[in-house]
Amino acid sequence: AELRAAVRALVGDLDALFTALGLREESFAVGALSRVVAAELASYAPARNRRRTATNKASVVFVDRTLDLTGAVSHHGDNLAEKILYVLPKLPGHKTDVMVNMVELTALQATDETCRIIAPGCLAQPNDPAAKALWESFMNLKQKEAVMEVRRHLVETASRENLPIKMSMGRVTPEQLSSYIQLFKNNLKALENHCGLLQLSLAVVQTLKHPQTSKWDNFLAFERVLLQTIGESEMPSVLNQLLPIIKSYNERTKDDYSCEDFLVLLVYMYSVVGEIRSGKELDAAEEEVKKALVKAICDEPEPSPVLLKIT
């Protein structure tokens, strides 16, 4: 009853707005609640009268905000910027920038991961036009094209600095990019002039080599399977398929999903599935998933901040 009252209040407000603007609207809806709002607006008596007399036409699109969650938790973007931000550790004190390990460009051979002698690089390069252009390509191009842009920038820059670069065609590999970056190592002037470009290039190399990148691809494959299964089956059978994947800390290998990974998958699933038919079968399937998830969370030797917040 409260929701119905809220929807009707919203429809009344929208009608008042459209009356003030003199609009005759055509409504479109994406999502379950949006369809309800659009249907209420279509059958609302004052709105029907307004549409007969209004002179200005407009299209109104209602979108359920729960669908935003799908974008936040899915791995469908073939986007290099997204992967860099997902994989590399956060720059201390920043939410949207990462630490790029710069040891490769020094004479220091530190094998210790915790070594903090060399200051980290980052993605924000406001004073370097070439680096800014490269970052734009990370966001706007597909991953394969963006990686080729990195190679092109490195080759052109090395040629201008008269570094002994050998251009190679074909597929771009992290090792190839790394060998180009190494050319700048012994030329301090070139290193200083193109530091921004080198930081972004190293971010790409470190992202492509990172084990989390292959996990990203596993996520993407699993999400596609989930979409197919949700299209063909009811929610209980989809949940029962997920059960074997929930593994406790002692049972997991590096390729298995952690508790956080599984929570992300669940959010994705419930966001894309739309309206779910409730019933005993669904309750039983959800109960089994809850039990398995609670056991996995309780067995974590060092729960992450997210899990600590949940518990």
Side-chain angles (χ1 to χ4, degrees), residues 95 260 263 297 303-311:
K95 294 284 184 193
E260 296 98 311
L263 287 167
I297 290 171
S304 67
V306 174
L307 292 184
L308 285 172
K309 216 170 192 177
I310 289 168
T311 49

Side-chain angles (χ1 to χ4, degrees), residues 177-198:
L177 294 179
S178 211
S179 68
Y180 290 167
I181 292 165
Q182 288 289 327
L183 295 173
F184 291 82
K185 186 173 168 179
N186 299 318
N187 187 325
L188 286 178
K189 193 168 186 308
L191 196 61
E192 191 179 346
N193 289 345
H194 307 289
C195 195
L197 175 68
L198 293 170

Side-chain angles (χ1 to χ4, degrees), residues 159-178:
S159 300
R160 281 202 303 275
E161 294 289 346
N162 295 319
L163 299 173
I165 192 145
K166 288 178 185 170
M167 178 60 181
S168 57
M169 302 305 289
R171 193 167 153 269
V172 187
T173 63
E175 290 73 25
Q176 184 192 80
L177 294 179
S178 211

Side-chain angles (χ1 to χ4, degrees), residues 105-118:
L105 283 171
T106 70
L108 179 72
Q109 293 309 306
T111 50
D112 184 7
E113 284 290 314
T114 59
C115 176
R116 292 282 177 267
I117 297 171
I118 307 297

Side-chain angles (χ1 to χ4, degrees), residues 75 77-88 143 207-208 213 216-217 220:
H75 298 73
D78 183 16
N79 180 302
L80 198 50
E82 204 176 338
K83 284 187 182 173
I84 292 170
L85 292 167
Y86 171 78
V87 160
L88 296 186
Q143 180 175 320
T207 299
L208 295 177
T213 304
W216 176 290
D217 296 331
L220 176 57

